Amino acid sequence: MRFFQACLFIFFFSAAHAQQDSAYFIKVHFLYGSKPLKKYKSTEAKYFGGIHGGHVSIEVDSMDYGFVPEGKFHIFNHRGSCHSAFITRATHNHDPYSDNQKVTTFIIPVTAEQHDQLLQLVSDYCSKVPYDYAFLGMRCAAASQDVLGKIGVVKPRGRLSNIYTTFYPKKLRKRMFRQAKEKHYKVISREGRKTRKWESD
């Protein structure tokens, strides 16, 4: 009888602990690259990177964090001269991008420890940016890979590996789609406006 009671206790304790951990979620937002359709070139803006552009950001506790250039644009990484920033904006539980943009969002359950690690990491990165923003260096996708790797959501990689394997958002997005299928993440996607040619998956 005591053994049975002990098993029940362990079961309910484990279930409660799992529920507590799964109460935390982060969102990884992918804005797709795009370019104006030919007949709308006079009214549609050109965006950095075109079809292979776009953006990646990470949302936690209704605050969205993204890595962007700031100041002079560098082709190669400049040590000690970081023209870059981690910026944050409140989402109020709304999509950080407008309804007419093509976006995919991965909603990822994390543990309490991962949640706290992420908050500390983005706080540190916003206070003191860890690397330069460079065309042939760290950009938004590689920086997001770096952050997600450090909290154990994706495979952690070194700086050069982040740059090489995650040169633009689609590289990371394809890996996230595979991981979402394996781990049953909720994925929300929407199409962009018809006046632009949007990157495919």
Side-chain angles (χ1 to χ4, degrees):
M1 183 66 178
R2 288 181 179 177
F3 176 76
F4 179 71
Q5 289 175 332
C7 289
L8 281 178
F9 174 79
I10 293 171
F11 172 78
F12 285 115
F13 177 81
S14 299
H17 184 67
Q19 287 178 352
Q20 182 181 12
D21 279 349
S22 64
Y24 293 95
F25 293 87
I26 65 172
K27 298 178 181 179
V28 183
H29 301 288
F30 287 86
L31 171 65
Y32 286 64
S34 66
K35 65 179 183 179
L37 291 177
K38 188 174 182 180
K39 64 179 179 178
Y40 295 105
K41 284 185 177 180
S42 62
T43 56
E44 284 283 346
K46 290 184 178 180
Y47 298 142
F48 174 73
I51 287 292
H52 296 302
H55 189 59
V56 191
S57 60
I58 301 170
E59 181 181 343
V60 56
D61 293 352
S62 294
M63 298 297 291
D64 192 51
Y65 298 88
F67 184 59
V68 298
E70 186 177 80
K72 185 178 179 181
F73 182 76
H74 292 158
I75 300 298
F76 300 101
N77 173 66
H78 286 217
R79 292 185 179 181
S81 179
C82 292
H83 286 201
S84 58
F86 269 87
I87 61 171
T88 179
R89 54 181 171 170
T91 66
H92 305 291
N93 284 321
H94 292 99
D95 191 322
Y97 299 105
S98 62
D99 291 342
N100 61 6
Q101 293 177 301
K102 186 175 180 179
V103 176
T104 288
T105 297
F106 297 89
I107 302 176
I108 303 171
V110 294
T111 65
E113 182 181 7
Q114 287 174 311
H115 170 268
D116 294 345
Q117 285 177 336
L118 178 57
L119 287 179
Q120 185 61 58
L121 188 61
V122 292
S123 176
D124 291 344
Y125 279 12
C126 286
S127 298
K128 185 177 180 181
V129 65
Y131 26 70
D132 189 22
Y133 188 107
F135 179 72
L136 297 177
M138 294 295 286
R139 293 189 284 160
C140 66
S144 296
Q145 161 73 37
D146 170 51
V147 171
L148 294 172
K150 279 184 165 61
I151 66 169
V153 169
V154 299
K155 177 183 175 181
R157 302 174 186 268
R159 180 81 57 86
L160 288 178
S161 181
N162 280 330
I163 294 169
Y164 178 74
T165 63
T166 320
F167 187 64
Y168 56 95
K170 186 174 182 178
K171 298 285 189 180
L172 178 59
R173 191 171 64 245
K174 288 178 70 175
R175 294 198 293 272
M176 292 299 300
F177 270 119
R178 289 196 297 269
Q179 188 164 318
K181 186 175 181 180
E182 294 169 2
K183 299 190 175 183
H184 309 291
Y185 297 157
K186 183 177 181 180
V187 181
I188 301 172
S189 297
R190 71 162 183 265
E191 297 300 316
R193 58 188 179 273
K194 303 300 184 181
T195 52
R196 302 188 68 83
K197 176 178 174 60
W198 295 92
E199 180 184 31
S200 62
D201 281 314

